[in-house]
Amino acid sequence: MDIDARIKIIMEKMEKLKDKNPEYPCGDFPPVWDKPLKEERVASFEKKNGIKLPEDYRRFITTVAGSCSQPFYGMCSIFGHDQADVDISKKFKYTIENPLDIYKLSDEEYNNLNNEVVYAGFIFLCGEGCGMYSILIVNSDDQDTYGTVWYFDLANDAGTFPLLNPVDKKPMDFLDWLEYYADRTLELEDEDFFGYAELTGPYYDDVPEE
């Protein structure tokens, strides 16, 4: 299925969200979509940071919307203030096979963590609150890692992990991520909620109990 056809299916699902009334919407609900970004601005952003945005994400923000009031506290714009702390021009250090699992770090490794290493090569997609985010990897030497969406939670000493499709356990790309939000929101009762941490698969299974 090509990207445009996939986007059309996802946006049809988003339209159905108007029939929902979630108790914990975070941002404005139903989703409020901003205008798409002009091709020239996106190309300039890529040139400035020495990157090429993943094709599905790039297509979405230039043809549908550059940002939105959902998921959670809203889909971030590449020109939003959230990006100020991230050096997109530097490579993302971690890979699908070797994520940042803080629970597995030694004390020395933990003490050596720094923002220059961790905050590199990605853009923020959305925040869930309490320091939990979804991020999109846009600069990586690892072909399998580039273009995937990760769960990012340093505030709670978790780390950053790829989001895995619950069916085939493969890493999610941007459109997988967005469609999962629509599907989960449609299937839940209005008083229920979910978080993307549920897609971190075996990584969170290893978290020790308090």
Side-chain angles (χ1 to χ4, degrees), residues 129-142:
C130 299
M132 299 176 288
Y133 297 90
S134 290
I135 62 173
L136 177 65
I137 312 307
V138 298
N139 194 354
S140 174
D141 286 328
D142 184 71

Side-chain angles (χ1 to χ4, degrees), residues 1-207:
M1 184 183 301
D2 67 28
I3 291 176
D4 289 329
R6 181 88 188 280
I7 289 176
K8 182 175 184 295
I9 290 173
I10 293 172
M11 294 309 290
E12 287 173 350
K13 292 180 178 181
M14 291 291 183
E15 186 68 20
K16 295 178 181 177
L17 293 181
K18 291 181 178 179
D19 297 328
K20 302 289 290 184
N21 186 30
E23 188 172 344
Y24 309 101
C26 298
D28 289 342
F29 192 94
V32 178
W33 302 92
D34 295 326
K35 294 180 180 179
L37 300 174
K38 292 186 179 299
E39 169 65 31
E40 295 79 8
R41 288 193 73 198
V42 174
S44 177
F45 176 86
E46 292 175 318
K47 183 178 181 180
K48 175 184 177 181
N49 291 287
I51 62 161
K52 183 69 175 177
L53 293 171
E55 186 178 3
D56 62 336
Y57 176 74
R58 195 182 198 282
R59 184 66 176 169
F60 188 89
I61 64 173
T62 57
T63 63
V64 180
S67 58
C68 182
S69 65
Q70 292 291 323
F72 299 100
Y73 286 98
M75 192 181 93
C76 305
S77 167
I78 57 174
F79 299 109
H81 69 276
D82 309 87
Q83 295 302 133
D85 294 331
V86 184
D87 190 342
I88 304 170
S89 66
K90 289 186 178 180
K91 302 292 184 181
F92 186 68
K93 176 181 178 180
Y94 308 100
T95 66
I96 301 298
E97 299 300 324
N98 293 288
L100 172 58
D101 188 342
I102 289 179
Y103 286 99
K104 294 183 178 180
L105 297 182
S106 66
D107 290 342
E108 181 179 359
E109 290 171 326
Y110 179 82
N111 291 332
N112 287 334
L113 278 181
N114 64 77
N115 288 352
E116 289 186 7
V117 172
V118 179
Y119 285 80
F122 68 82
I123 60 174
F124 285 108
L125 284 180
C126 83
E128 296 183 35
C130 299
M132 299 176 288
Y133 297 90
S134 290
I135 62 173
L136 177 65
I137 312 307
V138 298
N139 194 354
S140 174
D141 286 328
D142 184 71
Q143 184 176 359
D144 293 332
T145 299
Y146 171 79
T148 57
V149 180
W150 288 48
Y151 181 72
F152 186 92
D153 183 7
L154 267 62
N156 301 292
D157 280 346
T160 184
F161 310 96
L163 299 185
L164 305 179
N165 187 301
V167 176
D168 59 18
K169 302 304 180 184
K170 292 182 179 180
M172 285 185 158
D173 61 18
F174 169 74
L175 291 182
D176 293 331
W177 172 83
L178 193 62
E179 187 167 26
Y180 187 81
Y181 162 77
D183 288 340
R184 285 290 277 139
T185 305
L186 286 170
E187 73 181 10
L188 290 175
E189 298 296 331
D190 287 343
E191 65 271 17
D192 294 330
F193 62 93
F194 79 97
Y196 279 109
E198 68 189 30
L199 296 176
T200 55
Y203 304 114
Y204 264 61
D205 294 339
D206 295 333
V207 175

